Amino acid sequence: MTDHPTTIPEAFLIACRDEEYIGLTYLRRVPGLPHILSQALTGVTRDARGLGVATALKVAGIEWARVQGIAEIRTWNSQHNPRMISINERSGFIREIAVCEFRKDLPE
Ligand SMILES: CC(C)(COP(=O)(O)OP(=O)(O)OC[C@H]1O[C@@H](n2cnc3c(N)ncnc32)[C@H](O)[C@@H]1OP(=O)(O)O)[C@@H](O)C(=O)NCCC(=O)NCCS
């Protein structure tokens, strides 16, 4: 993953509690759009949730991007994830159009 063209190792942020890894988030490049970053997975271990870890990681990512001169960060959430949607809205992300994902199962 570290040699993938969209990977930015410095923007891979990990939260630690003593020796334990308890959360992560990362920003990656968007091919062809140098002033935009995409924020991918944000995750916090179950016993560390509700303590503001994801919010802190989000803020740290935004600040890192700001210092780099990035103009915009994009991210995507499932509508079934009100917690992450709340964190993103609190962090200043604005809702864009919804994307509907369809699936058709094909019989063997
Ligand atoms: C989503 C996730 C990252 C949140 O991490 P966290 O460290 O617990 O989040 P924080 O403590 O920073 O913020 C929690 C906030 O969510 C909000 N929240 C919690 N439950 C909520 C609900 N049911 N509906 C709406 N908002 C809710 C609250 O605003 C809370 O903020 P508060 O401090 O004002 O109470 C964590 O639950 C997780 O890892 N989930 C599994 C992975 C995942 O779904 N990741 C997101 C997709 S990339």
Side-chain angles (χ1 to χ4, degrees):
M1 180 185 158
T2 52
D3 58 358
H4 192 275
T6 62
T7 297
I8 312 170
E10 319 85 87
F12 198 101
L13 308 177
I14 299 173
C16 300
R17 182 168 55 190
D18 300 323
E19 301 292 307
E20 186 190 2
Y21 297 134
I22 56 169
L24 70 85
T25 192
Y26 65 97
L27 296 147
R28 59 188 177 195
R29 293 187 189 91
V30 181
L33 298 173
H35 301 298
I36 294 178
L37 294 180
S38 160
Q39 186 150 32
L41 178 72
T42 300
V44 173
T45 54
R46 288 183 191 280
D47 70 344
R49 291 181 188 167
L51 302 175
V53 174
T55 303
L57 285 166
K58 203 87 204 183
V59 170
I62 292 167
E63 282 310 309
W64 183 87
R66 198 194 307 275
V67 168
Q68 307 306 310
I70 295 298
E72 185 181 319
I73 301 172
R74 295 186 188 173
T75 194
W76 290 261
N77 294 133
S78 161
Q79 64 172 334
H80 301 301
N81 199 338
R83 183 172 280 208
M84 199 63 227
I85 290 171
S86 159
I87 292 167
N88 281 331
E89 289 185 332
R90 235 174 21 178
S91 306
F93 285 81
I94 298 163
R95 282 184 195 236
E96 293 283 351
I97 56 161
V99 174
C100 296
E101 194 170 285
F102 292 83
R103 185 180 99 185
K104 178 175 172 59
D105 293 327
L106 303 179
E108 285 180 22

